[in-house]
């Protein structure tokens, strides 16, 4: 067999697994895009109902401000604005609904390349991530958005002889952008324990390092809250305090992971020492 034939055989052996991986990747992408497209169509069909559902926190804010919640009014100033708002809302809802399917397809694609203990370690984070995101979204919906809208409604001005009337008439696109930004912000913040736990498991972070950076984390939490929220203390604390609590949860989670890894290491060393002692030959008397 010539050298060229050997090279061709090696290329064919190496290309076969690559082709299989590409076929598997295509299958997972088709399932993910198909699931997102179906969820998008469903959300677009119910887009107006979903938007009315997102307006409920605005109605709560009007009650807090002492106004009539039945007179809540949003406007759009361009003919196509509300249509594209519904498209954006359908994409947002479709991504949220299809996320479990997409995450499952990602896991199925990378799982064959992981050891059994790595798959068992990765699966809890896959389950915890959407749960924590929904917790952050629920905090935005039931508490943070009404509080923010109440702050904006409090800036209205009643018309008198000395001043003009200034009323809040938010645009549908701007209101949707505001609540989507808040949901994504809180959802990402609530991923802090998941991210730090994964980094701790692979050895890139430690509970000691997280505890030493606690002061900086507190300052950074309030800085981020000041940028993402309206300039009032209640709104800033509404984001900063959950972030600090989640940071403490991340430290606790990192410590639990380190203790678990230490127990596994000790058990492995005990097994290795036991097997070494069993394999050691014993001296026989002559």
């Amino acid at each position: 067999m010539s050298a060229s034939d050997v090279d061709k055989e090696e290329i064919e052996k190496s290309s076969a697994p690559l082709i299989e991986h590409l076929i598997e990747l295509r299958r997972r992408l088709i399932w993910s895009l198909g699931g997102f497209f179906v969820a998008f169509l469903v959300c677009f069909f119910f887009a107006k109902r979903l938007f009315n559902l997102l307006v409920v926190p605005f109605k709560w804010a009007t009650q807090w401000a002492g106004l009539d919640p039945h007179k809540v009014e949003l406007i759009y100033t361009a003919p196509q604005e509300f249509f594209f708002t519904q498209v954006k809302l359908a994409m947002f809802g479709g991504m949220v609904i299809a996320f479990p399917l997409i995450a499952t397809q990602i896991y199925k694609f990378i799982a064959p390349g992981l050891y059994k203990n790595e798959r068992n370690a990765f699966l809890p984070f896959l389950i915890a991530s959407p749960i924590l995101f929904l917790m952050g979204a629920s905090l935005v919906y039931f508490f943070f958005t009404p509080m923010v809208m109440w702050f904006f409604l409090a800036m209205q001005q009643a018309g008198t002889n000395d001043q003009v009337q200034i009323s809040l008439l938010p645009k549908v696109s701007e209101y949707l952008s505001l609540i989507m930004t808040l949901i994504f912000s809180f959802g990402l913040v609530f991923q802090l324990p998941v991210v730090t736990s994964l980094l701790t498991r692979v050895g890139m972070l430690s509970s000691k390092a997280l505890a030493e950076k606690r002061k900086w984390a507190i300052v950074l939490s309030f800085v981020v809250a000041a940028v993402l929220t309206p300039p009032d203390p209640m709104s800033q604390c509404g984001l900063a305090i959950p972030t600090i609590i989640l940071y403490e949860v991340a430290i606790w989670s990192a410590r639990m992971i380190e203790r678990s890894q230490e127990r596994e290491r000790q058990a492995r060393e005990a097994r290795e020492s036991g097997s070494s002692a069993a394999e050691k030959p014993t001296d026989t008397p002559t």
Side-chain angles (χ1 to χ4, degrees):
M1 183 179 292
S2 63
S4 59
D5 294 335
V6 174
D7 294 338
K8 290 181 180 179
E9 185 177 354
E10 292 295 329
I11 293 174
E12 290 177 357
K13 289 181 179 180
S14 62
S15 63
L18 177 60
I19 294 175
E20 293 177 0
H21 286 307
L22 291 176
I23 293 174
E24 180 69 13
L25 177 61
R26 183 185 64 179
R27 183 185 301 114
R28 301 306 174 189
L29 286 175
I30 290 174
W31 274 100
S32 300
L33 293 176
F36 169 74
F37 183 70
V38 172
F40 169 80
L41 292 179
V42 173
C43 291
F44 185 76
F45 182 78
F46 296 102
K48 290 185 178 180
R49 296 184 182 181
L50 291 174
F51 192 85
N52 289 329
L53 186 64
L54 293 178
V55 176
V56 171
F58 190 12
K59 294 182 178 180
W60 294 340
T62 58
Q63 290 179 334
W64 296 359
L67 303 174
D68 186 4
H70 299 290
K71 294 184 178 179
V72 173
E73 182 180 0
L74 288 86
I75 63 172
Y76 61 96
T77 57
Q80 73 280 7
E81 180 179 347
F82 189 45
F83 171 77
F84 285 112
T85 300
Q86 294 180 70
V87 172
K88 186 185 299 184
L89 177 59
M91 294 179 64
F92 175 72
M95 183 59 67
V96 172
I97 295 175
F99 178 78
L101 175 62
I102 296 173
T104 302
Q105 297 303 314
I106 295 175
Y107 175 75
K108 288 183 177 180
F109 179 71
I110 65 175
L114 302 176
Y115 293 107
K116 183 178 180 181
N117 60 338
E118 293 175 339
R119 292 196 298 267
N120 294 334
F122 185 77
L123 189 59
F125 299 110
L126 188 65
I127 298 174
S129 181
I131 294 176
L132 290 173
F133 186 88
L134 290 177
M135 290 175 60
S138 299
L139 182 62
V140 170
Y141 185 85
F142 291 103
F143 174 72
F144 202 74
T145 299
M147 184 175 60
V148 170
M149 296 309 299
W150 171 78
F151 173 79
F152 291 144
L153 285 169
M155 301 178 65
Q156 294 184 123
Q157 179 175 283
T160 62
N161 295 330
D162 299 329
Q163 58 188 17
V164 298
Q165 180 174 349
I166 302 177
S167 302
L168 174 62
L169 292 175
K171 297 172 62 176
V172 291
S173 58
E174 293 176 350
Y175 178 80
L176 180 64
S177 298
L178 173 64
I179 195 169
M180 285 175 55
T181 300
L182 292 175
I183 289 175
F184 273 120
S185 300
F186 275 77
L188 292 177
V189 167
F190 271 67
Q191 301 302 310
L192 183 61
V194 175
V195 175
T196 54
S197 297
L198 285 174
L199 293 177
T200 302
R201 186 170 289 278
V202 299
M204 298 179 63
L205 270 180
S206 64
S207 59
K208 181 179 179 181
L210 291 172
E212 291 176 351
K213 301 296 189 298
R214 180 183 284 110
K215 295 180 180 179
W216 292 102
I218 294 174
V219 174
L220 184 61
S221 299
F222 280 96
V223 171
V224 173
V227 173
L228 296 177
T229 62
D232 65 286
M234 291 182 60
S235 300
Q236 295 175 9
C237 293
L239 179 58
I241 292 176
T243 305
I244 296 171
I245 294 175
L246 289 170
Y247 190 82
E248 295 297 328
V249 172
I251 296 176
W252 174 82
S253 178
R255 287 173 180 169
M256 296 297 294
I257 292 173
E258 289 173 348
R259 292 174 184 174
S260 176
Q261 290 178 338
E262 180 64 21
R263 289 194 296 267
E264 292 176 359
R265 185 186 65 81
Q266 292 177 357
R268 184 172 60 253
E269 291 179 352
R271 289 194 301 269
E272 292 176 353
S273 61
S275 61
S276 299
E279 295 175 358
K280 184 178 181 181
T282 58
D283 297 333
T284 57
T286 57

